[in-house]
Amino acid sequence: MTFSIHGLAVARGIAIGRAVLVASTRLDVAHYFIEASQVAAEINRVRDARDAVVAEIHRLQTSIAQMGPKDTPQELTALLDVHLMLLQDEELSNGVRHWIKDRLYNAEWALTTQLEVVARQFDEMEDEYLRERKADLEQITEKVLRAMRGVSSPLVQPLGRHDRKKSQQDLLLDDTVDVPLILIAHDLSPSDMLQFKQSVFAGFITDVGGKTSHTAIVARSLDIPAVVGARLSSHLIRQDDWVVIDGDAGVVVVDPSPIILAEYGFKQRQGELQRGRLMRLLHTPAVTMDGQKVELLANIEMPEDAESALKAGAVGVGLFRSEFLFMGRHGKLPNEEEQFQAYKRAVEGMQGLPVTIRTVDVGADKPLDETLRDDAHLNPALGLRAIRWSLADPAMFLTQLRAILRAAAFGQVHLLIPMLVHASEIRQTMALIDHARVQLDNRGVAYGPIKVGAMIEIPAAALTLKVFLKYFDFLSIGTNDLIQYTLAIDRADESVAHLYDPMHPAVLRLVANTIEQGRAQGKPVSVCGEMAGDTSMTRLLLGMGLRSFSMHPAQILAIKQEVLRADTEKLGPWAEQVMQDDEPSKRIIKKA
Ligand code: PEP
Ligand code: MG
């Protein structure tokens, strides 16, 4: 039966494929397709791992039997029996075999897929005792996965054998391995998203997450259709269901009828044609109708993203979120050399164009490691994140600063500091930058000149620009956080996502004021939050005087199209009027 789920549109486009449900905790499991010739070996891999776990349980049972009856833990004995029973369960092993043989999933993927299928059956059981056996099932799966680690398998492989551009007709006929796959998870962390870059999935859906959560941001940078905040999707969608993601509307259609499928297939092709048309603007300079030059920069997460920035026609990197080098490393942070190499790769990748490297901005919805998620503090978004974290650990911060300064010897580097708000933080930061230079001098290591900029992403910063303009060479407005902190809306919380309004008059005033004051002092101002890549905001930002936009590479050409059609002489007075309005969003929609 066809039904739809409404969530938040985060990454545009249409994806059509089969659902792959993955427990959020098992995203680190490799997902790749095997060759038909590897089926038997892969089935053996699961069987051997399972046998090893069974043998381990038998050993445990023997040692328990050797204890006196008084010392025998009854509960443990019963638990081991249950584990043995589950390990030998036919449904589990037949299911795993099916995913390997018929779908060519690798062993780990097949096992976790079947786990999800069986776990759901447990969820639906009336009997509480049986329902609770789901936890045992998860435990034994974990054990088998661990046993399989001994029999190593390749990491996530680049794109599987499915062809994302298959026609709808083909999709309907082809029911086997060559269909796109859509990942469904309760939640995905930003670092999970990085793994996604090399994975087999053509789109994803999560139950939770806000529009400018970092998971959504990385999804946009991957340029694959995605919907977040789709509440119960991981419960309502079953393994292998056909699903359509409408990333523009934030809608998920489950089990679509052939007519619906055909409609979305049409929309998908239209989207591709539209992208093709935009490609014609690649070499056109971004200049408005009245001759104003506009700088279109890229936001990147990894040095390798420089390639897509260049391909999209970016004239530089306006925001390199360096924290992605620090995440998912189980507490072992990258040292100076590793960081230097990464920054240098980004700088060289941009072939002489400027690269703005933001110092590490972890915390809030970007924990260093999932296991270190900051639940201990009541409100991590207001806690020790970004520059606060860096200043709390000067040795770590100096390491990063030295690495960035060294990379500046290889090209134009701008240094960007996140989340500043106090004059004292600014002074401390400046002192540490000087100190990093002295350290490099003392070591006789070469480094290059840098411009230093501040992110304006806290209302208090936007209201005290004088001190920022005194110390910094440029400003970059982080609208994602500026909106979050101005409106008191957690950007990662889907339950208040409808109140996260980039066009709230207070937000617009803070943005306009920052642009105006920066320009008045002759200091460049850029916007690097999601607002910069939102075509419905381009004319307003141009009208406010903004001439530098930094966004995901995939958005650059669409924004360029808006720039080419704009006349800033007219947009200036219009923007003034919009900002006077009680509900500017209504005006923008009317005008657009
Ligand atoms: C922002 O806050 O707008 C920004 C660009 O930084 P981040 O999204 O990484 O917090
Ligand atoms: Mg921010």
Side-chain angles (χ1 to χ4, degrees):
M1 189 194 64
T2 304
F3 63 95
S4 55
I5 305 171
H6 293 249
L8 302 167
V10 296
R12 65 186 184 170
I14 309 288
I16 304 170
R18 280 195 181 276
V20 175
L21 286 140
V22 180
S24 308
T25 49
R26 295 222 170 67
L27 279 160
D28 54 344
V29 162
H31 295 83
Y32 58 92
F33 292 107
I34 56 167
E35 295 298 328
S37 58
Q38 296 170 311
V39 165
E42 209 64 0
I43 291 175
N44 285 346
R45 224 153 58 79
V46 195
R47 206 201 42 224
D48 292 349
R50 187 203 57 185
D51 290 350
V53 178
V54 169
E56 187 190 311
I57 295 180
H58 281 316
R59 271 197 302 279
L60 209 59
Q61 282 177 323
T62 315
S63 56
I64 289 173
Q66 283 161 359
M67 295 176 180
K70 239 180 36 218
D71 301 323
T72 310
Q74 291 302 323
E75 279 166 11
L76 180 59
T77 321
L79 190 73
L80 292 179
D81 287 341
V82 171
H83 281 196
L84 272 182
M85 193 187 75
L86 289 171
L87 279 164
Q88 278 146 6
D89 178 57
E90 292 240 316
E91 188 173 353
L92 190 63
S93 46
N94 288 344
V96 172
R97 214 169 300 132
H98 156 71
W99 298 113
I100 296 178
K101 203 159 114 321
D102 303 331
R103 291 294 163 77
L104 301 182
Y105 289 6
N106 64 299
E108 290 86 350
W109 183 6
L111 180 62
T112 50
T113 300
Q114 189 57 18
L115 165 74
E116 289 295 314
V117 172
V118 182
R120 262 155 199 254
Q121 294 166 2
F122 277 96
D123 280 342
E124 281 156 21
M125 284 174 185
E126 303 250 309
D127 185 310
E128 197 179 337
Y129 171 81
L130 288 176
R131 239 188 2 248
E132 282 168 6
R133 297 291 61 79
K134 185 175 138 181
D136 297 313
L137 183 66
E138 283 172 345
Q139 275 179 21
I140 59 137
T141 307
E142 205 49 62
K143 282 190 180 152
V144 177
L145 283 172
R146 226 175 295 140
M148 256 190 278
R149 254 171 242 154
V151 191
S152 71
S153 73
L155 281 173
V156 181
Q157 297 276 307
L159 197 70
R161 303 188 311 119
H162 69 255
D163 175 6
R164 288 184 190 174
K165 294 212 168 62
K166 263 178 178 288
S167 75
Q168 287 327 109
Q169 206 54 34
D170 291 342
L171 286 177
L172 285 172
L173 295 174
D174 185 350
D175 208 16
T176 55
V177 291
D178 281 345
V179 293
L181 299 173
I182 310 287
L183 181 82
I184 323 279
H186 175 68
D187 194 8
L188 289 166
S189 71
S191 53
D192 289 333
M193 291 306 303
L194 287 185
Q195 292 206 17
F196 215 100
K197 284 198 177 189
Q198 319 147 42
S199 79
V200 296
F201 300 106
F204 76 85
I205 302 163
T206 60
D207 295 349
V208 299
K211 236 179 151 140
T212 57
S213 62
H214 285 90
T215 301
I217 286 173
V218 183
R220 238 166 268 140
S221 82
L222 299 180
D223 201 21
I224 54 168
V227 170
V228 302
R231 300 290 173 99
L232 290 170
S233 59
S234 73
H235 288 273
L236 298 174
I237 303 172
R238 285 162 312 172
Q239 199 73 258
D240 231 22
D241 273 349
W242 276 98
V243 207
V244 174
I245 298 181
D246 183 340
D248 301 302
V251 171
V252 177
V253 184
V254 185
D255 200 10
S257 64
I259 292 180
I260 295 178
L261 211 46
E263 256 174 45
Y264 276 106
F266 177 71
K267 230 175 141 182
Q268 197 176 32
R269 281 192 297 280
Q270 292 292 100
E272 276 161 19
L273 285 176
Q274 165 70 0
R275 284 177 195 225
R277 275 196 291 273
L278 282 177
M279 279 308 287
R280 293 186 206 138
L281 302 180
L282 187 62
H283 301 293
T284 311
V287 180
T288 62
M289 276 161 54
D290 56 318
Q292 294 285 319
K293 279 193 196 137
V294 177
E295 185 181 47
L296 300 181
L297 303 160
N299 290 356
I300 64 170
E301 279 86 36
M302 283 298 191
E304 294 66 37
D305 298 338
E307 194 186 331
S308 50
L310 280 185
K311 270 197 192 139
V315 296
V317 168
L319 173 65
F320 175 0
R321 288 183 162 98
S322 69
E323 55 274 16
F324 282 88
L325 299 172
F326 288 65
M327 283 152 59
R329 301 183 49 112
H330 311 289
K332 193 173 170 296
L333 301 185
N335 62 23
E336 180 182 322
E337 187 59 25
E338 186 182 342
Q339 287 190 56
F340 161 64
Q341 292 298 343
Y343 304 140
K344 181 167 165 268
R345 275 205 306 284
V347 170
E348 290 179 340
M350 287 309 288
Q351 302 173 7
L353 295 171
V355 177
T356 307
I357 304 174
R358 181 176 68 181
T359 57
V360 62
D361 180 4
V362 290
D365 72 330
K366 285 180 291 190
L368 271 182
D369 281 297
E370 277 312 286
T371 48
L372 300 179
R373 198 175 260 283
D374 189 2
D375 292 330
H377 295 98
L378 288 184
N379 200 334
L382 303 183
L384 194 70
R385 60 168 288 205
I387 189 66
R388 301 167 184 183
W389 193 73
S390 299
L391 293 178
D393 188 347
M396 184 277 302
F397 192 37
L398 281 166
T399 304
Q400 177 167 39
L401 292 173
R402 287 193 304 271
I404 295 173
L405 284 163
R406 286 173 60 191
F410 294 84
Q412 281 188 70
V413 171
H414 303 164
L415 176 70
L416 182 59
I417 314 291
M419 288 276 295
L420 284 164
V421 69
H422 293 286
S424 58
E425 290 170 319
I426 298 177
R427 281 195 302 272
Q428 260 179 288
T429 303
M430 291 302 182
L432 284 166
I433 296 171
D434 287 342
H435 190 59
R437 285 198 188 97
V438 172
Q439 287 180 324
L440 289 173
D441 284 335
N442 290 344
R443 273 167 42 193
V445 175
Y447 60 90
I450 49 164
K451 290 213 163 78
V452 185
M455 289 201 68
I456 302 298
E457 48 185 350
I458 299 180
L463 293 169
T464 51
L465 288 167
K466 211 170 96 213
V467 64
F468 286 84
L469 290 166
K470 181 170 147 198
Y471 285 98
F472 291 100
D473 302 315
F474 67 96
L475 302 179
S476 189
I477 310 177
T479 49
N480 305 336
D481 278 315
L482 189 61
I483 298 166
Q484 150 163 282
Y485 297 125
T486 305
L487 304 181
I489 299 296
D490 186 336
R491 60 193 268 195
D493 183 348
E494 73 283 359
S495 67
V496 283
H498 59 292
L499 299 172
Y500 185 93
D501 180 9
M503 271 178 252
H504 189 288
V507 173
L508 296 184
R509 234 162 273 166
L510 292 172
V511 172
N513 180 45
T514 308
I515 297 169
E516 194 186 312
Q517 290 203 35
R519 291 189 76 172
Q521 303 263 326
K523 301 251 166 130
V525 178
S526 175
V527 168
C528 63
E530 297 303 282
M531 201 186 260
D534 179 348
T535 49
S536 68
M537 296 297 295
T538 314
R539 294 183 320 146
L540 187 59
L541 290 170
L542 288 169
M544 290 175 181
L546 188 75
R547 298 292 180 266
S548 174
F549 297 64
S550 192
M551 70 207 83
H552 302 294
Q555 278 305 104
I556 288 181
L557 293 179
I559 297 294
K560 194 188 276 188
Q561 188 173 47
E562 291 297 314
V563 169
L564 297 175
R565 290 171 178 169
D567 179 346
T568 60
E569 278 175 24
K570 291 193 185 130
L571 288 177
W574 171 71
E576 281 290 326
Q577 283 172 15
V578 171
M579 277 185 293
Q580 299 305 322
D581 216 299
D582 289 343
E583 289 181 275
S585 52
K586 293 206 171 130
R587 249 185 123 98
I588 298 274
I589 291 161
K590 259 189 269 152
K591 276 264 181 187

